[in-house]
Amino acid sequence: RFAPVFNVAVPFIDRHLAEGRADKVAIRTNHGEAVTYRELAEQANRAGNALRALGIGRGERVLMMVKDCPEFFYLFWGAIKAGIVPVPVNTLLRAKDYRFMIEDSGCAAVVYSPEFAAEVEPALAAADPAPAVRLPVTGEGDSLRARMAEAGAELEAVPASATDDCFWLYSSGSTGNPKGAIHRHRDMVVTSQYYGVETLGVREEDVCFSAAKLFFAYGLGNAMTFPLWVGATAVLYDGRPTPQSTFEMIQRFRPTIYYGVPTLYAAQLAALDELAPDLSSVRVCVSAGEALPPEIFQRWKERTGLTILDGIGSTEALHIFISNRIDDVRLGTSGRLVPGYEARIVDEAGNEVPPGESGRLLIRGDSTARAYWNNPEKTAQTMLEGGWLNTGDTYVRDEEGYFHYCGRSDDMMKVGGIWCSPFEIEARLIEHPAVLEAAVVGRPDEQNLVKPEAWIVLKDPAQAGDALRAELLEHCKKGLAPYKYPRWIHFVDELPKTATGKIQRFKLRARPQP
Ligand code: 3SK
């Protein structure tokens, strides 16, 4: 239940001062900064006041190209408290992408970490309309930090209701332009309580470290909203997450919860022997972004003793809505529904299918975005009647309520008339000791019949060749239904991925065979 007048910055930020956590460290960074809850509340107020002094009004958008650093928190929460809508965006994008988002959002301000100036400034120069306010976070001249230093340290939260617009996140599908998913004040409360507390078990003593960045809905929950909801500590790293850098962060800051993505877990596993990290502080690991191959779960467990809780979420749902639990892991599945969410699996006509049959996953819960900004067509395709969200994922729910991932609905292929999940073939390939990563797509053969094609990254590229190709084929034929083995196997140095680590199978489909 939400109070009728409610600004979500109050329970996430100001509440901690009233509850005796003013001196507790809320944020630690790889630069050695330690920000207490008192400082966080004060700096967020300053950021909100600075935005107001710049003339930014209620409901106007501030685009944030900001790395993982305390200023991300200050700007995000200060804006919300002042009734302004923060829009964190992917910091790995290019000028043309930023130009699109600037124009699409009609933002009143762009605030960016100076590291991203080479892409953001040309986007600002080209955009029409373009915002009057353009500020680097830090720097010699005008900057957010300089404005914050001059702004007041007190700020009254603007009254809002739980269903008022609060912040946006751009969601990039496999095709088309990114879409601004509009989230409401209540959404972060819902994900923090239902997934963070009641599913994952985040608590005040925790130290949370996420390899996934804050601009990604997954990272935003992992390293900002969950720790702030329970008064825990977030650890931020502003560099590129590699096995080396993430292991260094874990050894230095001793997090209790570590959040990664499957690709990074695979790379970390491959580097365990060489780097021999001390992971003893971690009590649980989390994975999302794409389904975790069972092989990675098992090898991680054997090598580190740690359980990886795999779950599925989306930018539109804000965080994970189906998940394994620490005392309830069903290997090879995404787990069961998170409290507060309902699911339906439907066929192409929208009729619910029985357990054991695959179909499109729809979910319903109080954290789902209300619409895409300025995009009624995509809104109608995704935010369905009755509050259902079309996830675009194909799933099977078994009799016991566990959800088995089959792939993105647009990645599924029909082989010999039977639906075939690329994920199942990839999981089989990854079980082979030579394979680091695999992606499978459908490709028409000489008779124009779709067959699986595998693109493989090897742990040791020197092993590539016909002998290994034949071995992998045999491995697949042994472990999969006969029609599912890949008819073509290509060895590549890397797979095309989104900034958040999801394999872009559509790019492989478009690639000519080597
Ligand atoms: O892709 C996911 O699984 C996910 C999880 C949490 C939040 C956001 C996303 C996209």
Side-chain angles (χ1 to χ4, degrees), residues 169 171 191 195 216-222 226 261 287-291 310-322 393 395 408 500 502:
L169 292 173
S171 159
T191 54
Y195 174 73
F216 179 27
Y218 177 48
L220 192 83
N222 300 342
F226 302 166
V261 292
S287 179
E290 58 181 339
D310 186 23
I312 156 103
S314 72
T315 301
E316 291 77 0
L318 189 57
H319 214 274
I320 290 172
F321 46 79
I322 292 175
D393 288 307
Y395 262 90
R408 290 291 299 164
T500 52
K502 284 189 204 193

mmCIF file of all heavy atoms in Angstrom, residues 169 171 191 195 216-222 226 261 287-291 310-322 393 395 408 500 502, ligand 1:
data_model
loop_
_atom_site.group_PDB
_atom_site.id
_atom_site.type_symbol
_atom_site.label_atom_id
_atom_site.label_comp_id
_atom_site.label_asym_id
_atom_site.label_seq_id
_atom_site.Cartn_x
_atom_site.Cartn_y
_atom_site.Cartn_z
ATOM 1 N N LEU A 169 13.642 4.602 -18.622
ATOM 2 C CA LEU A 169 14.829 3.866 -19.086
ATOM 3 C C LEU A 169 14.597 3.529 -20.549
ATOM 4 O O LEU A 169 13.498 3.085 -20.900
ATOM 5 C CB LEU A 169 15.006 2.565 -18.293
ATOM 6 C CG LEU A 169 15.388 2.702 -16.828
ATOM 7 C CD1 LEU A 169 15.363 1.333 -16.157
ATOM 8 C CD2 LEU A 169 16.766 3.339 -16.666
ATOM 9 N N SER A 171 14.766 1.251 -23.649
ATOM 10 C CA SER A 171 14.871 -0.179 -23.877
ATOM 11 C C SER A 171 15.209 -0.380 -25.343
ATOM 12 O O SER A 171 14.511 0.129 -26.212
ATOM 13 C CB SER A 171 13.504 -0.787 -23.550
ATOM 14 O OG SER A 171 13.340 -2.021 -24.160
ATOM 15 N N THR A 191 10.012 -3.560 -7.023
ATOM 16 C CA THR A 191 11.118 -4.483 -7.352
ATOM 17 C C THR A 191 12.029 -4.698 -6.138
ATOM 18 O O THR A 191 12.487 -5.812 -5.894
ATOM 19 C CB THR A 191 11.971 -3.958 -8.528
ATOM 20 O OG1 THR A 191 12.402 -2.627 -8.225
ATOM 21 C CG2 THR A 191 11.173 -3.936 -9.815
ATOM 22 N N TYR A 195 11.455 -8.529 -5.294
ATOM 23 C CA TYR A 195 12.612 -9.320 -5.734
ATOM 24 C C TYR A 195 13.765 -9.161 -4.734
ATOM 25 O O TYR A 195 14.273 -10.155 -4.204
ATOM 26 C CB TYR A 195 13.076 -8.944 -7.152
ATOM 27 C CG TYR A 195 14.356 -9.685 -7.466
ATOM 28 C CD1 TYR A 195 14.331 -11.057 -7.721
ATOM 29 C CD2 TYR A 195 15.593 -9.042 -7.416
ATOM 30 C CE1 TYR A 195 15.507 -11.769 -7.930
ATOM 31 C CE2 TYR A 195 16.777 -9.746 -7.630
ATOM 32 C CZ TYR A 195 16.719 -11.103 -7.881
ATOM 33 O OH TYR A 195 17.893 -11.804 -8.065
ATOM 34 N N PHE A 216 21.602 0.234 -16.777
ATOM 35 C CA PHE A 216 20.832 -0.942 -17.166
ATOM 36 C C PHE A 216 19.860 -1.239 -16.013
ATOM 37 O O PHE A 216 20.264 -1.197 -14.849
ATOM 38 C CB PHE A 216 21.857 -2.062 -17.361
ATOM 39 C CG PHE A 216 21.354 -3.413 -17.742
ATOM 40 C CD1 PHE A 216 20.164 -3.595 -18.432
ATOM 41 C CD2 PHE A 216 22.113 -4.544 -17.444
ATOM 42 C CE1 PHE A 216 19.746 -4.869 -18.795
ATOM 43 C CE2 PHE A 216 21.698 -5.814 -17.803
ATOM 44 C CZ PHE A 216 20.509 -5.983 -18.473
ATOM 45 N N ALA A 217 18.593 -1.562 -16.325
ATOM 46 C CA ALA A 217 17.609 -1.781 -15.246
ATOM 47 C C ALA A 217 18.114 -2.806 -14.234
ATOM 48 O O ALA A 217 17.897 -2.667 -13.020
ATOM 49 C CB ALA A 217 16.289 -2.257 -15.839
ATOM 50 N N TYR A 218 18.805 -3.812 -14.723
ATOM 51 C CA TYR A 218 19.346 -4.851 -13.837
ATOM 52 C C TYR A 218 20.347 -4.230 -12.837
ATOM 53 O O TYR A 218 20.233 -4.417 -11.630
ATOM 54 C CB TYR A 218 19.995 -5.912 -14.730
ATOM 55 C CG TYR A 218 20.689 -7.061 -14.053
ATOM 56 C CD1 TYR A 218 20.087 -7.778 -13.020
ATOM 57 C CD2 TYR A 218 21.968 -7.461 -14.485
ATOM 58 C CE1 TYR A 218 20.749 -8.855 -12.439
ATOM 59 C CE2 TYR A 218 22.615 -8.537 -13.914
ATOM 60 C CZ TYR A 218 22.012 -9.232 -12.889
ATOM 61 O OH TYR A 218 22.663 -10.295 -12.315
ATOM 62 N N GLY A 219 21.296 -3.437 -13.370
ATOM 63 C CA GLY A 219 22.290 -2.799 -12.503
ATOM 64 C C GLY A 219 21.686 -1.756 -11.580
ATOM 65 O O GLY A 219 22.105 -1.594 -10.425
ATOM 66 N N LEU A 220 20.679 -1.047 -12.072
ATOM 67 C CA LEU A 220 20.039 0.014 -11.274
ATOM 68 C C LEU A 220 19.452 -0.576 -9.986
ATOM 69 O O LEU A 220 19.585 -0.002 -8.903
ATOM 70 C CB LEU A 220 18.926 0.672 -12.096
ATOM 71 C CG LEU A 220 18.353 1.960 -11.532
ATOM 72 C CD1 LEU A 220 19.231 3.143 -11.919
ATOM 73 C CD2 LEU A 220 16.935 2.226 -12.044
ATOM 74 N N GLY A 221 18.806 -1.737 -10.127
ATOM 75 C CA GLY A 221 18.277 -2.412 -8.936
ATOM 76 C C GLY A 221 19.399 -2.973 -8.084
ATOM 77 O O GLY A 221 19.491 -2.698 -6.882
ATOM 78 N N ASN A 222 20.306 -3.718 -8.729
ATOM 79 C CA ASN A 222 21.371 -4.419 -7.991
ATOM 80 C C ASN A 222 22.181 -3.494 -7.101
ATOM 81 O O ASN A 222 22.471 -3.807 -5.952
ATOM 82 C CB ASN A 222 22.380 -5.025 -8.981
ATOM 83 C CG ASN A 222 21.776 -6.020 -9.941
ATOM 84 O OD1 ASN A 222 20.697 -6.516 -9.696
ATOM 85 N ND2 ASN A 222 22.477 -6.308 -11.031
ATOM 86 N N PHE A 226 18.184 -1.647 -4.516
ATOM 87 C CA PHE A 226 18.094 -2.681 -3.473
ATOM 88 C C PHE A 226 18.896 -2.284 -2.230
ATOM 89 O O PHE A 226 18.360 -2.315 -1.119
ATOM 90 C CB PHE A 226 18.532 -4.059 -3.979
ATOM 91 C CG PHE A 226 17.746 -4.576 -5.161
ATOM 92 C CD1 PHE A 226 18.206 -5.660 -5.899
ATOM 93 C CD2 PHE A 226 16.554 -3.980 -5.553
ATOM 94 C CE1 PHE A 226 17.492 -6.129 -6.990
ATOM 95 C CE2 PHE A 226 15.829 -4.443 -6.655
ATOM 96 C CZ PHE A 226 16.313 -5.518 -7.373
ATOM 97 N N VAL A 261 26.541 -11.318 -15.329
ATOM 98 C CA VAL A 261 25.748 -11.774 -16.483
ATOM 99 C C VAL A 261 26.445 -13.033 -17.015
ATOM 100 O O VAL A 261 27.639 -13.224 -16.769
ATOM 101 C CB VAL A 261 25.645 -10.690 -17.587
ATOM 102 C CG1 VAL A 261 24.818 -9.508 -17.120
ATOM 103 C CG2 VAL A 261 27.016 -10.229 -18.053
ATOM 104 N N SER A 287 22.448 -13.861 -11.575
ATOM 105 C CA SER A 287 22.654 -13.714 -13.013
ATOM 106 C C SER A 287 21.344 -13.345 -13.685
ATOM 107 O O SER A 287 20.288 -13.867 -13.323
ATOM 108 C CB SER A 287 23.182 -15.025 -13.604
ATOM 109 O OG SER A 287 23.364 -14.898 -14.994
ATOM 110 N N ALA A 288 21.420 -12.458 -14.665
ATOM 111 C CA ALA A 288 20.255 -12.103 -15.488
ATOM 112 C C ALA A 288 20.809 -11.515 -16.778
ATOM 113 O O ALA A 288 22.012 -11.583 -17.022
ATOM 114 C CB ALA A 288 19.346 -11.113 -14.767
ATOM 115 N N GLY A 289 19.941 -10.950 -17.577
ATOM 116 C CA GLY A 289 20.385 -10.384 -18.856
ATOM 117 C C GLY A 289 20.101 -11.361 -19.964
ATOM 118 O O GLY A 289 19.641 -10.987 -21.036
ATOM 119 N N GLU A 290 20.454 -12.610 -19.761
ATOM 120 C CA GLU A 290 20.045 -13.702 -20.639
ATOM 121 C C GLU A 290 20.129 -14.969 -19.801
ATOM 122 O O GLU A 290 20.704 -14.964 -18.709
ATOM 123 C CB GLU A 290 20.911 -13.777 -21.894
ATOM 124 C CG GLU A 290 22.361 -13.958 -21.619
ATOM 125 C CD GLU A 290 23.176 -14.013 -22.897
ATOM 126 O OE1 GLU A 290 22.625 -14.308 -23.956
ATOM 127 O OE2 GLU A 290 24.383 -13.770 -22.804
ATOM 128 N N ALA A 291 19.540 -16.056 -20.320
ATOM 129 C CA ALA A 291 19.461 -17.264 -19.493
ATOM 130 C C ALA A 291 20.855 -17.837 -19.234
ATOM 131 O O ALA A 291 21.724 -17.811 -20.101
ATOM 132 C CB ALA A 291 18.581 -18.282 -20.192
ATOM 133 N N ASP A 310 19.746 -17.600 -11.032
ATOM 134 C CA ASP A 310 19.400 -17.098 -12.355
ATOM 135 C C ASP A 310 17.964 -16.582 -12.331
ATOM 136 O O ASP A 310 17.096 -17.182 -11.684
ATOM 137 C CB ASP A 310 19.531 -18.244 -13.369
ATOM 138 C CG ASP A 310 19.331 -17.774 -14.798
ATOM 139 O OD1 ASP A 310 19.521 -16.581 -15.045
ATOM 140 O OD2 ASP A 310 18.997 -18.609 -15.651
ATOM 141 N N GLY A 311 17.739 -15.487 -13.018
ATOM 142 C CA GLY A 311 16.389 -14.930 -13.098
ATOM 143 C C GLY A 311 16.195 -14.237 -14.427
ATOM 144 O O GLY A 311 17.151 -14.021 -15.183
ATOM 145 N N ILE A 312 14.953 -13.920 -14.713
ATOM 146 C CA ILE A 312 14.663 -13.176 -15.946
ATOM 147 C C ILE A 312 13.889 -11.920 -15.585
ATOM 148 O O ILE A 312 12.948 -11.962 -14.795
ATOM 149 C CB ILE A 312 13.873 -14.036 -16.960
ATOM 150 C CG1 ILE A 312 13.049 -13.197 -17.959
ATOM 151 C CG2 ILE A 312 12.857 -14.937 -16.291
ATOM 152 C CD1 ILE A 312 13.618 -13.089 -19.262
ATOM 153 N N GLY A 313 14.311 -10.835 -16.184
ATOM 154 C CA GLY A 313 13.613 -9.570 -15.966
ATOM 155 C C GLY A 313 13.569 -8.803 -17.270
ATOM 156 O O GLY A 313 13.892 -9.344 -18.322
ATOM 157 N N SER A 314 13.189 -7.560 -17.178
ATOM 158 C CA SER A 314 13.233 -6.720 -18.381
ATOM 159 C C SER A 314 13.244 -5.258 -17.961
ATOM 160 O O SER A 314 12.883 -4.926 -16.823
ATOM 161 C CB SER A 314 12.024 -6.996 -19.284
ATOM 162 O OG SER A 314 10.851 -6.484 -18.706
ATOM 163 N N THR A 315 13.656 -4.429 -18.888
ATOM 164 C CA THR A 315 13.656 -2.988 -18.630
ATOM 165 C C THR A 315 12.225 -2.531 -18.356
ATOM 166 O O THR A 315 11.991 -1.699 -17.472
ATOM 167 C CB THR A 315 14.226 -2.254 -19.859
ATOM 168 O OG1 THR A 315 15.541 -2.757 -20.071
ATOM 169 C CG2 THR A 315 14.263 -0.761 -19.671
ATOM 170 N N GLU A 316 11.277 -3.098 -19.098
ATOM 171 C CA GLU A 316 9.869 -2.682 -18.950
ATOM 172 C C GLU A 316 9.307 -3.123 -17.601
ATOM 173 O O GLU A 316 8.434 -2.464 -17.049
ATOM 174 C CB GLU A 316 9.023 -3.279 -20.089
ATOM 175 C CG GLU A 316 9.297 -2.699 -21.462
ATOM 176 C CD GLU A 316 10.567 -3.214 -22.124
ATOM 177 O OE1 GLU A 316 11.273 -4.052 -21.506
ATOM 178 O OE2 GLU A 316 10.869 -2.777 -23.247
ATOM 179 N N ALA A 317 9.787 -4.257 -17.078
ATOM 180 C CA ALA A 317 9.301 -4.716 -15.757
ATOM 181 C C ALA A 317 10.168 -4.129 -14.651
ATOM 182 O O ALA A 317 9.891 -4.331 -13.473
ATOM 183 C CB ALA A 317 9.325 -6.236 -15.688
ATOM 184 N N LEU A 318 11.236 -3.500 -15.036
ATOM 185 C CA LEU A 318 12.229 -2.850 -14.188
ATOM 186 C C LEU A 318 13.222 -3.817 -13.566
ATOM 187 O O LEU A 318 14.381 -3.468 -13.418
ATOM 188 C CB LEU A 318 11.576 -1.975 -13.096
ATOM 189 C CG LEU A 318 12.549 -1.105 -12.322
ATOM 190 C CD1 LEU A 318 13.330 -0.202 -13.267
ATOM 191 C CD2 LEU A 318 11.822 -0.245 -11.303
ATOM 192 N N HIS A 319 12.805 -5.006 -13.180
ATOM 193 C CA HIS A 319 13.801 -5.958 -12.670
ATOM 194 C C HIS A 319 13.288 -7.376 -12.862
ATOM 195 O O HIS A 319 12.430 -7.624 -13.713
ATOM 196 C CB HIS A 319 14.195 -5.641 -11.222
ATOM 197 C CG HIS A 319 15.632 -5.957 -10.944
ATOM 198 N ND1 HIS A 319 16.044 -7.215 -10.574
ATOM 199 C CD2 HIS A 319 16.759 -5.215 -11.029
ATOM 200 C CE1 HIS A 319 17.364 -7.221 -10.442
ATOM 201 N NE2 HIS A 319 17.846 -6.008 -10.714
ATOM 202 N N ILE A 320 13.813 -8.285 -12.038
ATOM 203 C CA ILE A 320 13.552 -9.717 -12.237
ATOM 204 C C ILE A 320 12.159 -10.086 -11.741
ATOM 205 O O ILE A 320 11.778 -9.731 -10.620
ATOM 206 C CB ILE A 320 14.654 -10.518 -11.515
ATOM 207 C CG1 ILE A 320 15.978 -10.321 -12.263
ATOM 208 C CG2 ILE A 320 14.284 -11.993 -11.391
ATOM 209 C CD1 ILE A 320 17.195 -10.893 -11.575
ATOM 210 N N PHE A 321 11.402 -10.845 -12.559
ATOM 211 C CA PHE A 321 10.052 -11.258 -12.156
ATOM 212 C C PHE A 321 9.902 -12.772 -12.068
ATOM 213 O O PHE A 321 8.883 -13.260 -11.593
ATOM 214 C CB PHE A 321 8.990 -10.644 -13.089
ATOM 215 C CG PHE A 321 9.326 -10.771 -14.548
ATOM 216 C CD1 PHE A 321 9.131 -11.963 -15.226
ATOM 217 C CD2 PHE A 321 9.870 -9.693 -15.236
ATOM 218 C CE1 PHE A 321 9.468 -12.082 -16.555
ATOM 219 C CE2 PHE A 321 10.214 -9.810 -16.584
ATOM 220 C CZ PHE A 321 10.010 -11.016 -17.242
ATOM 221 N N ILE A 322 10.904 -13.514 -12.556
ATOM 222 C CA ILE A 322 10.918 -14.970 -12.367
ATOM 223 C C ILE A 322 12.336 -15.305 -11.927
ATOM 224 O O ILE A 322 13.302 -14.845 -12.545
ATOM 225 C CB ILE A 322 10.593 -15.718 -13.681
ATOM 226 C CG1 ILE A 322 9.137 -15.482 -14.071
ATOM 227 C CG2 ILE A 322 10.869 -17.214 -13.542
ATOM 228 C CD1 ILE A 322 8.748 -16.069 -15.422
ATOM 229 N N ASP A 393 9.570 -13.134 -24.848
ATOM 230 C CA ASP A 393 10.349 -14.342 -24.609
ATOM 231 C C ASP A 393 9.448 -15.562 -24.746
ATOM 232 O O ASP A 393 8.276 -15.513 -24.375
ATOM 233 C CB ASP A 393 10.928 -14.342 -23.177
ATOM 234 C CG ASP A 393 12.036 -13.333 -23.033
ATOM 235 O OD1 ASP A 393 12.975 -13.377 -23.838
ATOM 236 O OD2 ASP A 393 11.955 -12.495 -22.118
ATOM 237 N N TYR A 395 8.667 -19.294 -23.454
ATOM 238 C CA TYR A 395 8.890 -20.081 -22.237
ATOM 239 C C TYR A 395 7.972 -21.290 -22.200
ATOM 240 O O TYR A 395 6.898 -21.299 -22.814
ATOM 241 C CB TYR A 395 8.564 -19.226 -20.999
ATOM 242 C CG TYR A 395 9.793 -18.606 -20.378
ATOM 243 C CD1 TYR A 395 10.231 -17.358 -20.778
ATOM 244 C CD2 TYR A 395 10.507 -19.285 -19.402
ATOM 245 C CE1 TYR A 395 11.365 -16.790 -20.222
ATOM 246 C CE2 TYR A 395 11.648 -18.729 -18.843
ATOM 247 C CZ TYR A 395 12.072 -17.491 -19.253
ATOM 248 O OH TYR A 395 13.204 -16.947 -18.701
ATOM 249 N N ARG A 408 14.324 -15.808 -27.208
ATOM 250 C CA ARG A 408 13.485 -14.669 -27.582
ATOM 251 C C ARG A 408 12.496 -15.183 -28.613
ATOM 252 O O ARG A 408 12.856 -16.020 -29.462
ATOM 253 C CB ARG A 408 14.322 -13.553 -28.220
ATOM 254 C CG ARG A 408 15.251 -12.826 -27.307
ATOM 255 C CD ARG A 408 14.565 -11.970 -26.310
ATOM 256 N NE ARG A 408 13.747 -10.906 -26.901
ATOM 257 C CZ ARG A 408 12.815 -10.223 -26.231
ATOM 258 N NH1 ARG A 408 12.558 -10.511 -24.964
ATOM 259 N NH2 ARG A 408 12.133 -9.267 -26.809
ATOM 260 N N THR A 500 24.583 -4.694 -22.679
ATOM 261 C CA THR A 500 24.294 -5.387 -21.429
ATOM 262 C C THR A 500 24.576 -6.879 -21.544
ATOM 263 O O THR A 500 24.151 -7.651 -20.706
ATOM 264 C CB THR A 500 22.841 -5.135 -21.024
ATOM 265 O OG1 THR A 500 22.013 -5.463 -22.138
ATOM 266 C CG2 THR A 500 22.623 -3.697 -20.642
ATOM 267 N N LYS A 502 23.724 -9.158 -23.930
ATOM 268 C CA LYS A 502 22.837 -10.106 -24.615
ATOM 269 C C LYS A 502 23.353 -10.364 -26.030
ATOM 270 O O LYS A 502 23.689 -9.415 -26.741
ATOM 271 C CB LYS A 502 21.419 -9.534 -24.723
ATOM 272 C CG LYS A 502 20.696 -9.598 -23.419
ATOM 273 C CD LYS A 502 19.239 -9.248 -23.572
ATOM 274 C CE LYS A 502 18.781 -8.768 -22.232
ATOM 275 N NZ LYS A 502 17.463 -8.608 -21.937
HETATM 276 O O1 3SK B 1 17.320 -9.119 -19.015
HETATM 277 C C1 3SK B 1 17.074 -9.279 -17.830
HETATM 278 O O2 3SK B 1 16.990 -10.424 -17.353
HETATM 279 C C2 3SK B 1 16.862 -8.098 -16.896
HETATM 280 C C3 3SK B 1 16.839 -8.335 -15.568
HETATM 281 C C4 3SK B 1 16.624 -7.312 -14.685
HETATM 282 C C5 3SK B 1 16.437 -6.049 -15.133
HETATM 283 C C6 3SK B 1 16.485 -5.801 -16.470
HETATM 284 C C7 3SK B 1 16.691 -6.821 -17.372
HETATM 285 C C8 3SK B 1 16.705 -6.471 -18.836
#
